[in-house]
């Protein structure tokens, strides 16, 4: 018997059992993905001009929380690569997005379609829209700083992508979802009524309270990164101190609990969603904690293992603005008692006088990234309202198909992206916000269909 234990056949059987056992609990097979993460601090030095609330009259006043840009580079078994960059920033401007993508293509041979740039939309960080210098009369000292910051940021983001690529190791991916209810549809509920309406269960209007979570672990099972999202304006505070707002705190809380993990927040279709009630520092902590807890709960559940190959596609949806008012009307607006209307009128007249055409066409970047058969990530530019999330999920979900993750605020955050319903209803997101931008009028009624026509094509392309 003792001799039998050492027989080659017996030993082979034991080894077989060990291999099968370990493979069954997912620990033995060599991970099929490669992933690398990196982060860089992007808090501007000293006082700077803040973006997000046009009514601000002075620069930033100190730092409550630093701002970061973070990147994850993911390769499939065949070497196809996608990089996702998340930032504690108000916007990714079209110029910034295009410049970063061009330099990343040159330097790392990564096509624009395989790079996703998302911003958290914190309103407690720097202004990045250079045209606001003239539109909003930014004091020259701070306008100069804004230009210098944007140039530096561009280089930082390009380097960040390189660092994430350079740090890739064998990895496993999984996907799961949590939920947290602090986002309120701000078009359908008055802020002052929210506490009462919430306690009575009477909040109305579309919301998407889901918290998509992608977990990335190395071959030892250590969590390298957790990428998570939520569809809600990152606007708890409107003060002049630097912070990543609730999303910054959610990332901070997760990283405090998992010191070796990079936590990355990706903004969803939260254009018409607000965290309510808000405006107190305690709310920052409350919503940051609620979101971090939703991520932790999701991580503790049984995730869907993500396997297969990567495919990505990007295209511009051909959108169209309504024309700006006639010259006589704009000339009258120069005398308006509303300073934003005055500023906008002066801007448009300046363009017309300089012989430039205020273009009515706008190519809005939309992107689809497919992680095997398990996850389809759809990233839409602009401040897209929550209907985009609901419609994309309903449209692209099917039995045994991938989970759907809808990100907004990606690649080019030019302003609000209403659906047809919101456009027709009007109000701030429907077209009222246009006075704060350089664009002529609200979108035409084709806006939503143009986005989905383009998206449909991209989703088909990455399914093939
Ligand atoms: Zn916004």
């Amino acid at each position: 018997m003792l001799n039998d234990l050492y027989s080659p056949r017996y030993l082979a059987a034991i080894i077989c059992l060990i291999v099968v056992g370990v493979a069954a609990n997912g620990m033995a097979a060599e991970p099929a993905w490669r992933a690398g993460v990196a982060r860089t601090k992007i808090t501007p030095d000293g006082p700077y001009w803040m973006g997000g609330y046009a009514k601000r009259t002075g620069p930033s006043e100190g730092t409550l929380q630093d701002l970061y840009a973070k990147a994850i580079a993911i390769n499939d078994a065949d070497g196809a690569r996608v990089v996702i960059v998340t930032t504690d920033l108000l916007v990714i401007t079209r110029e910034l997005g295009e410049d970063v993508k061009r330099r990343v293509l040159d330097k790392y041979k990564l096509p624009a379609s395989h790079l996703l740039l998302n911003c958290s939309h914190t309103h407690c960080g720097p202004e990045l829209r250079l045209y606001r210098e003239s539109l909003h009369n930014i004091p020259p000292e701070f306008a100069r700083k804004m230009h210098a910051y944007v140039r530096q940021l561009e280089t930082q983001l390009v380097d960040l992508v390189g660092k994430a690529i350079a740090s890739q190791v064998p990895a496993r991916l999984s996907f799961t979802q949590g939920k947290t209810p602090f986002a309120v549809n701000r078009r359908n509920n008055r802020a002052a009524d929210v506490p009462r309406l919430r306690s009575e269960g009477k909040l109305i209007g579309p919301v998407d309270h889901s918290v998509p979570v992608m977990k990335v672990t190395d071959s030892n099972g250590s969590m390298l990164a957790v990428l998570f999202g939520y569809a809600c304006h990152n606007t708890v505070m409107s003060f002049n101190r630097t912070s990543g707002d609730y999303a910054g705190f959610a990332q901070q809380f997760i990283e405090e609990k998992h010191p070796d993990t990079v936590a990355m927040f990706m903004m969803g279709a939260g254009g018409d969603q607000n965290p309510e009630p808000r405006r107190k520092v305690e709310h920052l902590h409350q919503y940051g904690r609620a979101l971090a807890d939703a991520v932790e709960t999701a991580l503790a559940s049984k995730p869907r293992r993500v396997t297969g190959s990567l495919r990505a596609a990007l295209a511009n949806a051909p959108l169209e603005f309504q024309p700006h008012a006639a010259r006589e009307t704009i000339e009258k607006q120069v005398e308006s008692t509303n300073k934003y209307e005055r500023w906008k009128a002066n801007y448009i007249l300046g363009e017309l006088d300089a012989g430039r055409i205020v273009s009515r066409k706008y190519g809005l970047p939309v992107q689809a990234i497919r992680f095997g058969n398990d996850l389809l990530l759809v990233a839409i530019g602009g401040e897209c309202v929550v209907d985009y999330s609901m419609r994309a999920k309903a449209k692209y979900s099917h039995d045994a198909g991938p989970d759907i993750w809808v990100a907004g605020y990606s690649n080019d955050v030019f302003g609000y992206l209403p659906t047809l319903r919101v456009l027709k209803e009007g109000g701030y997101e429907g077209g009222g916000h246009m006075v704060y931008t350089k664009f002529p009028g609200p979108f035409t009624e084709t806006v939503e269909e143009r986005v989905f026509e383009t998206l449909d094509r991209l989703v088909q392309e990455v399914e093939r």
Side-chain angles (χ1 to χ4, degrees):
M1 179 66 195
L2 208 60
N3 277 350
D4 279 357
L5 281 179
Y6 294 98
S7 76
R9 188 185 285 178
Y10 185 80
L11 286 176
I14 293 282
I15 289 165
C16 239
L17 280 174
I18 291 170
V19 170
V20 168
V22 178
N25 70 29
M27 294 300 291
E30 185 62 14
W33 304 95
R34 289 179 67 76
V37 279
R39 85 171 86 204
T40 187
K41 197 163 94 175
I42 53 169
T43 314
D45 292 329
Y48 61 89
W49 204 256
M50 304 182 84
Y53 291 107
K55 64 177 186 288
R56 281 192 180 109
T57 54
S60 66
E61 295 161 8
T63 302
L64 176 67
Q65 185 186 46
D66 277 315
L67 308 177
Y68 291 91
K70 300 169 181 177
I72 181 158
I74 299 172
N75 281 26
D76 69 14
D78 299 320
R81 171 178 292 151
V82 158
V83 178
I84 297 171
V85 174
T86 62
T87 57
D88 297 322
L89 289 172
L90 175 74
V91 291
I92 300 289
T93 63
R94 182 172 204 94
E95 298 76 22
L96 177 69
E98 287 182 350
D99 289 348
V100 168
K101 287 188 176 218
R102 189 166 45 243
R103 287 174 61 182
V104 164
L105 174 65
D106 282 353
K107 220 169 163 179
Y108 313 114
K109 309 296 168 228
L110 185 75
S113 53
H114 289 59
L115 173 61
L116 192 171
L117 304 170
N118 181 275
C119 62
S120 75
H121 202 48
T122 176
H123 284 41
C124 291
E127 178 59 88
L128 305 161
R129 295 162 293 190
L130 303 181
Y131 76 87
R132 298 246 168 166
E133 175 183 354
S134 53
L135 187 70
H136 284 178
N137 294 340
I138 297 176
E141 166 198 0
F142 292 109
R144 273 195 301 278
K145 268 190 114 165
M146 170 173 71
H147 283 268
Y149 176 80
V150 170
R151 277 195 300 276
Q152 179 196 319
L153 176 68
E154 187 186 306
T155 300
Q156 276 187 288
L157 295 180
V158 174
D159 292 347
L160 179 73
V161 170
K163 273 190 215 153
I165 292 172
S167 65
Q168 284 185 313
V169 293
R172 293 187 178 85
L173 309 184
S174 60
F175 178 80
T176 173
Q177 299 211 56
K179 216 174 169 96
T180 187
F182 63 80
V184 173
N185 192 304
R186 68 188 193 184
R187 295 173 57 81
N188 299 114
N189 305 276
R190 256 177 23 118
D193 299 336
V194 166
R196 179 181 56 81
L197 292 172
R198 181 173 274 140
S199 69
E200 293 170 359
K202 288 182 180 163
L203 287 168
I204 54 168
V207 291
D208 180 356
H209 287 156
S210 62
V211 181
V213 177
M214 185 195 269
K215 180 182 176 185
V216 183
T217 54
D218 68 12
S219 49
N220 299 320
S222 311
M223 188 159 71
L224 295 172
V226 58
L227 179 66
F228 63 100
Y230 194 54
C232 180
H233 255 73
N234 199 15
T235 51
V236 173
M237 302 307 288
S238 59
F239 59 14
N240 281 24
R241 300 189 67 198
T242 302
S243 112
D245 213 77
Y246 79 76
F249 280 87
Q251 293 172 87
Q252 182 185 318
F253 293 150
I254 294 168
E255 290 177 355
E256 281 169 3
K257 189 160 178 198
H258 307 275
D260 299 324
T261 299
V262 176
M264 302 171 67
F265 174 79
M266 189 143 66
M267 177 53 81
D272 51 353
Q273 310 288 306
N274 269 356
E276 290 291 354
R278 57 182 180 162
R279 301 301 192 224
K280 290 184 183 157
V281 173
E282 69 200 54
H283 295 135
L284 276 183
H285 293 247
Q286 184 188 327
Y287 302 135
R289 180 60 66 195
L291 185 51
D293 285 350
V295 171
E296 294 294 344
T297 306
L299 287 173
S301 70
K302 190 163 167 46
R304 178 172 185 170
R305 215 166 143 190
V306 177
T307 58
S309 34
L310 270 176
R311 286 200 183 82
L314 172 83
N316 284 337
L319 306 187
E320 218 172 37
F321 294 111
Q322 295 170 31
H324 58 70
R327 188 170 179 116
E328 310 84 79
T329 311
I330 302 176
E331 276 166 355
K332 280 187 201 127
Q333 286 168 348
V334 171
E335 309 295 326
S336 168
T337 51
N338 178 325
K339 76 174 174 187
Y340 304 110
E341 205 169 287
R342 272 196 323 269
W343 287 352
K344 171 89 183 244
N346 279 321
Y347 180 85
I348 301 267
L349 286 178
E351 292 295 291
L352 297 177
D353 290 346
R356 287 187 286 265
I357 292 166
V358 182
S359 178
R360 288 182 53 202
K361 290 186 173 13
Y362 202 76
L364 180 76
V366 292
Q367 190 174 20
I369 303 177
R370 177 116 179 181
F371 296 81
N373 289 322
D374 301 299
L375 179 64
L376 172 66
L377 172 58
V378 165
I380 304 172
E383 299 198 43
C384 46
V385 296
V386 78
D387 299 14
Y388 279 100
S389 184
M390 316 313 266
R391 185 170 170 192
K393 285 182 187 180
K395 208 164 194 259
Y396 304 128
S397 296
H398 49 90
D399 285 344
D403 276 300
I404 314 292
W405 183 337
V406 182
Y409 296 78
S410 296
N411 299 311
D412 171 11
V413 184
F414 65 94
Y416 283 89
L417 183 72
T419 47
L420 181 59
R421 174 182 73 81
V422 172
L423 181 81
K424 281 182 165 170
E425 285 174 7
Y428 186 70
E429 301 84 2
H433 71 282
M434 296 303 286
V435 72
Y436 299 98
T437 73
K438 63 179 176 179
F439 304 112
F443 283 109
T444 62
E445 292 193 357
T446 57
V447 58
E448 182 178 347
E449 281 319 303
R450 293 276 171 88
V451 169
F452 275 101
E453 279 162 19
T454 310
L455 213 40
D456 287 352
R457 202 156 43 72
L458 298 180
V459 168
Q460 276 176 20
E461 204 175 314
V462 298
E463 259 172 18
R464 277 201 294 271

